[in-house]
Amino acid sequence: DNEKIRLGTGNDLELYHDGSDSQILNNTNRTMFRSAEIHFNNVGNTENMAKFISDGTVELFHNGTKCFETTSDGATVTGHLKVNDASSSARIYLASGDSSDTSIYFGSQNDSATGAIRYDHSDDSLRLYGYNNTERLRITSTGDINIPVDGDKLQFGAGQDLEIYHDGSYNYILSPNAH
């Protein structure tokens, strides 16, 4: 233990075991690994911990199960993504081009009928989409609230006993328990 392999004119690279841990120490600039693929596995070589694949993906594992991977258009997280900041407000920022929209989609893994929350840059509105990605609610840049589908109702109260809607021809305000 503590015997070191030293390389370089100034012993810039050291490889040694300190009695508890194996150490690689580089005293200058970067440590570069060059390979078509680099894998980090557990000591028994029975579980992946991380994979780095040239011109491809980076994969991270927890207990041998892939939880994160980069893709050609971003990244995929399998499982939960927790954002936590104990010292201030936790935030997730999503940004897109000025003429695009920014969206969060919801749905079943095997069902293409999704719902969404979308910010549309073309008119600076926030939109909520329901089943089959149908727009159900829009908050405009001026703060107006729109229900863009005729027949959909704005309901108030625990028993939804006040309803406001338009059926395509007429406007309705219904309150069956009105006094």
Side-chain angles (χ1 to χ4, degrees), residues 50-157:
K51 292 182 182 180
F52 302 86
I53 300 167
S54 179
D55 298 322
T57 185
V58 171
E59 300 174 352
L60 301 178
F61 297 79
H62 175 78
N63 199 21
T65 302
K66 183 170 40 174
C67 296
F68 178 89
E69 71 178 307
T70 60
T71 62
S72 62
D73 62 349
T76 300
V77 174
T78 302
H80 300 282
L81 177 63
K82 183 176 182 180
V83 177
N84 187 5
D85 186 341
S87 63
S88 64
S89 300
R91 296 183 173 107
I92 296 175
Y93 291 94
L94 304 174
S96 63
D98 291 340
S99 62
S100 301
D101 65 67
T102 303
S103 302
I104 300 173
Y105 292 92
F106 305 90
S108 173
Q109 181 176 356
N110 298 315
D111 185 357
S112 61
T114 61
I117 300 171
R118 181 177 299 157
Y119 181 82
D120 193 314
H121 296 283
S122 67
D123 62 2
D124 293 323
S125 65
L126 181 65
R127 303 173 186 202
L128 300 178
Y129 291 78
Y131 186 74
N132 276 333
N133 210 20
T134 303
E135 185 178 357
R136 296 296 184 191
L137 182 76
R138 182 183 302 182
I139 302 172
T140 68
S141 62
T142 61
D144 293 336
I145 298 174
N146 297 335
I147 298 176
V149 178
D150 285 336
D152 283 359
K153 299 173 182 178
L154 181 59
Q155 298 177 322
F156 298 92

